[in-house]
Amino acid sequence: MQADPSPPSKLQELMVFLTLSVFIWPFLAMAFVGTYGFAFWIYFLTAGPPGPG
Amino acid sequence: MSDAPKRPSLWARIRNNVFFRVALRPSTRYSLAFLTLGGFIAGVAFWGAFNTALEVANTEQFCITCHEMKDNVYQELQGTIHWTNRSGVRATCPDCHVPHQWTLKIARKMAASREVWGHLFGIIGTREKFLDTRPELAAHEWARMSANHSQECRNCHSPQSMNFAKQSERAANIHKEQLLTGEKSCIDCHKGIAHRLPVNKADEVPAFDD
């Protein structure tokens, strides 16, 4: 690891915070939910539709 | 150490990227209270938007934005008791065709990507193509409903609440023999009640046999 360069500016930190909270985490959440649904879909395609309950 | 200048590893390059350098270290300017509040608000907004979008995609108005649905099955529904009846309660597309349980609903939403594909490439883009594909499409839905013992019917209809005295003797007897025993569920007999039957299946409906 190298020595820490000058600490980030307040604007830099704010932009990173907004990028993470507005774009990256929501995108990952959608991707996660989509993958979850997709996995169940593929599972039902091979194992047959879900039973009662 | 070799003399050739070493290319930094991928991880090193990520670490040195200004975005990741800022993102992966503790904040120097913002308090934990501010950051967690920001994450909390963003989370509430995301979940609200997600559920709103999910609900919008779960309405009849959304379904019939595709002409395949609007021109075929939606028209047929309008002649049935699930469209208009004396009590004014009706079923919309997702009431019967989208599972209400969350995991199954999400799975169905992802499966709908298949329908987007079908729409883009016009797989049932004409009335003729729709009628040709209908036996297969109906079979999917019948198999699904039969497997879950007609869960989507039972979201509204309940055998326990049926007043057999108000049914015809024949219907009451068959319901007692086959429905109450769990031998059969709604869809096993009541096919083609909300849409027309595929043509080649029209004479295979036990409920309408004589």
Side-chain angles (χ1 to χ4, degrees):
Chain A
M1 260 185 60
Q2 61 199 69
D4 195 8
S6 58
S9 70
K10 191 163 187 171
L11 180 67
Q12 272 182 326
E13 286 202 339
L14 184 67
M15 294 315 287
V16 169
F17 171 71
L18 289 177
T19 308
L20 280 169
S21 59
V22 176
F23 293 108
I24 294 182
W25 294 132
F27 174 82
L28 286 177
M30 292 297 301
F32 179 81
V33 172
T35 307
Y36 177 79
F38 192 79
F40 271 91
W41 176 30
I42 300 299
Y43 172 70
F44 293 143
L45 281 181
T46 56
Chain B
M1 290 273 274
S2 73
D3 295 340
K6 240 175 88 179
R7 200 155 176 263
S9 70
L10 180 66
W11 178 237
R13 274 184 287 156
I14 288 175
R15 289 281 313 211
N16 288 330
N17 174 285
V18 64
F19 177 85
F20 286 97
R21 221 174 55 220
V22 177
L24 294 176
R25 54 167 290 161
S27 171
T28 55
R29 314 281 177 146
Y30 293 104
S31 67
L32 277 176
F34 170 80
L35 293 172
T36 52
L37 176 67
F40 185 81
I41 291 172
V44 169
F46 169 79
W47 199 244
F50 180 86
N51 275 318
T52 302
L54 198 63
E55 284 312 304
V56 168
N58 223 28
T59 60
E60 190 168 76
Q61 285 311 308
F62 180 82
C63 300
I64 61 171
T65 52
C66 280
H67 72 95
E68 287 94 336
M69 294 294 117
K70 188 177 184 182
D71 297 344
N72 297 307
V73 285
Y74 180 64
Q75 299 303 324
E76 295 174 2
L77 174 66
Q78 295 179 28
T80 75
I81 197 161
H82 284 94
W83 175 265
T84 175
N85 50 64
R86 65 195 173 281
S87 52
V89 184
R90 60 158 299 223
T92 65
C93 319
D95 292 327
C96 305
H97 294 291
V98 182
H100 296 198
Q101 199 258 344
W102 197 82
T103 293
L104 302 182
K105 183 191 260 189
I106 297 298
R108 184 64 187 82
K109 293 294 176 194
M110 293 311 290
S113 56
R114 176 69 181 81
E115 282 135 45
V116 174
W117 177 278
H119 178 71
L120 292 177
F121 292 95
I123 289 174
I124 53 169
T126 66
R127 180 72 184 165
E128 290 68 35
K129 286 184 190 172
F130 170 74
L131 290 176
D132 285 346
T133 320
R134 171 165 238 178
E136 183 195 336
L137 300 174
H140 288 165
E141 206 55 0
W142 290 337
R144 185 183 70 78
M145 296 182 95
S146 193
N148 68 18
H149 295 181
S150 307
Q151 177 62 58
E152 284 72 39
C153 307
R154 293 185 291 110
N155 287 336
C156 294
H157 299 273
S158 147
Q160 287 73 36
S161 302
M162 277 183 183
N163 185 342
F164 292 114
K166 293 198 169 182
Q167 296 183 352
S168 73
E169 196 185 333
R170 177 172 168 275
N173 284 340
I174 293 177
H175 282 149
K176 283 178 200 161
E177 284 168 22
Q178 305 196 350
L179 178 67
L180 293 188
T181 56
E183 189 182 321
K184 284 197 161 63
S185 73
C186 320
I187 193 65
D188 294 320
C189 297
H190 297 275
K191 294 185 176 75
I193 52 159
H195 310 291
R196 254 166 249 140
L197 287 164
V199 172
N200 61 350
K201 294 280 180 185
D203 46 9
E204 291 183 14
V205 186
F208 300 122
D209 277 352
D210 267 318

